[in-house]
Amino acid sequence: VAASAAAAGLVLSSAANAAVMTLAGAPDANANQAQTLLSSFGNNLKFTFVSKSASFTSNLSLVFGNQFIFDNNTAIGTMVTASGPASGLEILMNILVTNTGNSWFSGDPAQNADGFVHAQISALGGGVFRVAFEDLVISTRPGAEPDFNDFVFDVQEVPLPGAAFLLMSGIAGLGFAAALAIRDSLIA
């Protein structure tokens, strides 16, 4: 059903004016389907550290602007705000496993050296998405990784405050009124 929804161009969203989750690339050899997040309005992103079960240390970065967010030894509940990509662009995240030097990306598994999905994304509601990364090289061996619990965090787009929208609308209205005034003075 999800594959047919993606083929039809449908996306999953957890709230109005929130990031949008879509399918990303073909499933990997373990039949894991990657998801990605697309920015809805190109504003800041809020990251909240949830948990880890890895013995390795990993650093989370937002690929847009190469922004370091936090590592997986961060206190649970730590929140960081970062600049997000423009509206409609992918919110691409990456972990660098400092113990191994491996770097794994969210989204399309073709971006990862082993060709496997390394991040599972799920909608929690209210515009919040849970991202769970796997930090080890993945294979098709039965019982092998992935467990997708090595670096877990939530991410959400921070909407523009209503007052900011009103201010921008007012400025646009003033510009339109000025353009009309100039046009009227040229006609007269």
Side-chain angles (χ1 to χ4, degrees), residues 102 104 114 118 134-139 145:
N102 291 328
W104 308 115
D114 63 2
H118 276 268
E134 173 54 50
D135 67 353
L136 296 177
V137 174
I138 300 173
S139 75
E145 298 286 337

Side-chain angles (χ1 to χ4, degrees), residues 12-40:
L12 305 171
S13 177
S14 70
N17 293 329
V20 176
M21 182 172 66
T22 90
L23 300 179
D28 67 19
N30 286 331
N32 287 316
Q33 176 64 60
Q35 304 92 13
T36 192
L37 293 176
L38 300 178
S39 173
S40 286

Side-chain angles (χ1 to χ4, degrees), residues 7 20 26 52 68 78 84 90-91 94 96 100 128-129 170:
V20 176
K52 80 164 193 167
F68 172 78
T78 297
E90 181 178 9
I91 301 169
N94 140 275
L96 171 64
T100 64
V128 179
F129 295 88

Side-chain angles (χ1 to χ4, degrees), residues 20-170:
V20 176
M21 182 172 66
T22 90
L23 300 179
D28 67 19
N30 286 331
N32 287 316
Q33 176 64 60
Q35 304 92 13
T36 192
L37 293 176
L38 300 178
S39 173
S40 286
F41 44 84
N43 203 20
N44 289 341
L45 301 169
K46 182 173 77 172
F47 293 84
T48 306
F49 182 70
V50 173
S51 68
K52 80 164 193 167
S53 73
S55 57
F56 291 156
T57 297
S58 297
N59 296 326
L60 172 67
S61 294
L62 182 62
V63 174
F64 173 78
N66 193 27
Q67 300 172 75
F68 172 78
I69 306 301
F70 40 59
D71 67 31
N72 64 347
N73 293 314
T74 300
I76 292 172
T78 297
M79 288 186 274
V80 172
T81 301
S83 298
S87 178
L89 294 182
E90 181 178 9
I91 301 169
L92 183 60
M93 297 158 281
N94 140 275
I95 62 167
L96 171 64
V97 185
T98 60
N99 307 72
T100 64
N102 291 328
S103 187
W104 308 115
F105 293 88
S106 62
D108 189 346
Q111 300 173 104
N112 294 317
D114 63 2
F116 286 92
V117 172
H118 276 268
Q120 288 187 335
I121 303 173
S122 55
L124 299 180
V128 179
F129 295 88
R130 169 98 8 114
V131 181
F133 266 95
E134 173 54 50
D135 67 353
L136 296 177
V137 174
I138 300 173
S139 75
T140 55
R141 294 186 326 262
E145 298 286 337
D147 52 18
F148 297 104
N149 63 1
D150 298 319
F151 198 142
V152 182
F153 56 92
D154 294 340
V155 62
Q156 69 184 103
E157 269 192 300
V158 179
L160 287 173
F165 177 75
L166 289 174
L167 175 64
M168 289 187 293
S169 298

